[in-house]
Amino acid sequence: MNNEDFGYKWFEELYTDYSRELFWIAMAYSNNKILAEDAVQKAFLYVWKNRKKFKDSKELKPYLNSTVRNYIIDFFRHQKIQEKHHPIIQEETLEREHNPEEDDFEEKVQIATNLINSLPEGCRKVFVMAVIEGMTYQQVADQLGISKNTVKMQVKIAYKKLHSNDPKSYLLIFILLKSQIFTPLL
């Protein structure tokens, strides 16, 4: 096959040749028209994105068949997992509705701020500059007149202390920092 074979014409012929049969295979597994159409679409989308990997169109038929079958099987597996965990998720949602103070952002920020402020002064200063303000370790080292390795160690110590003091709040700090919506009131 030359490069032109990997173009739209090749793909259109492939789709024309196999899509109907694949749809009926997916229907046999799922008995759901929308799911069957999705499975066929996903299979062809993968082939299009990876068309240069497929040198022989004859290789594609078994590949497409198994891709469609696996998509349907994975869908039903995922659905079973969701059904299994639905009561747990529903219970947690109800608990949160009954504890609105738990979702109070200001309170969470204050908890995280207090935890950061509990760090020893030097460690806190390095942590704030490197992690919260986003300075590089080298910038922090230069500004504080310490080595880059000292900065690394202080950040590591800060993370350890934050985690050991209150693992739930540590996770909260980590999530808030990564979301970039958290500026502690230091």
Side-chain angles (χ1 to χ4, degrees):
M1 265 189 213
N2 61 32
N3 286 340
E4 194 174 298
D5 290 335
F6 291 114
Y8 293 112
K9 185 177 180 184
W10 170 81
F11 188 76
E12 187 176 346
E13 287 174 9
L14 183 71
Y15 185 83
T16 302
D17 291 345
Y18 296 123
S19 62
R20 188 169 182 82
E21 182 181 344
L22 289 170
F23 171 79
W24 289 112
I25 289 170
M27 281 295 291
Y29 280 102
S30 68
N31 199 27
N32 181 319
K33 182 181 176 189
I34 293 170
L35 182 58
E37 289 171 348
D38 284 350
V40 172
Q41 182 180 9
K42 292 286 186 187
F44 278 105
L45 182 61
Y46 181 83
V47 168
W48 175 254
K49 287 181 178 178
N50 298 282
R51 60 191 174 275
K52 292 183 180 180
K53 289 182 182 178
F54 299 102
K55 293 181 178 162
D56 185 3
S57 294
K58 292 176 185 171
E59 293 175 6
L60 283 172
K61 185 175 181 180
Y63 174 80
L64 288 168
N65 288 344
S66 65
T67 300
V68 166
R69 186 190 78 236
N70 290 338
Y71 180 85
I72 301 293
I73 291 169
D74 288 346
F75 174 84
F76 286 118
R77 278 187 193 145
H78 182 70
Q79 195 172 27
K80 277 186 177 182
I81 290 169
Q82 283 181 319
E83 288 170 6
K84 178 181 175 184
H85 294 289
H86 179 74
I88 296 167
I89 294 168
Q90 192 172 21
E91 183 179 313
E92 287 179 7
T93 303
L94 287 173
E95 282 180 22
R96 286 193 179 160
E97 288 173 2
H98 290 99
N99 292 326
E101 71 278 351
E102 188 174 296
D103 290 326
D104 182 23
F105 182 74
E106 293 296 322
E107 184 180 335
K108 288 180 178 181
V109 169
Q110 190 58 51
I111 291 168
T113 301
N114 291 343
L115 195 56
I116 292 171
N117 283 335
S118 73
L119 293 170
E121 186 178 343
C123 188
R124 179 177 50 83
K125 188 180 253 186
V126 169
F127 182 80
V128 168
M129 292 170 76
V131 178
I132 296 173
E133 294 175 3
M135 295 172 67
T136 66
Y137 287 174
Q138 190 61 55
Q139 290 171 329
V140 175
D142 292 344
Q143 191 166 339
L144 297 177
I146 57 177
S147 75
K148 186 176 174 181
N149 283 337
T150 302
V151 173
K152 287 180 187 179
M153 285 305 297
Q154 289 298 313
V155 169
K156 185 176 180 179
I157 290 167
Y159 276 126
K160 270 187 178 177
K161 287 185 182 233
L162 292 170
H163 185 265
S164 66
N165 285 347
D166 188 350
K168 284 185 181 179
S169 293
Y170 170 78
L171 183 60
L172 170 70
I173 291 170
F174 188 74
I175 291 168
L176 291 172
L177 287 171
K178 291 301 177 189
S179 70
Q180 296 179 344
I181 59 173
F182 170 57
T183 305
L185 312 166
L186 302 171

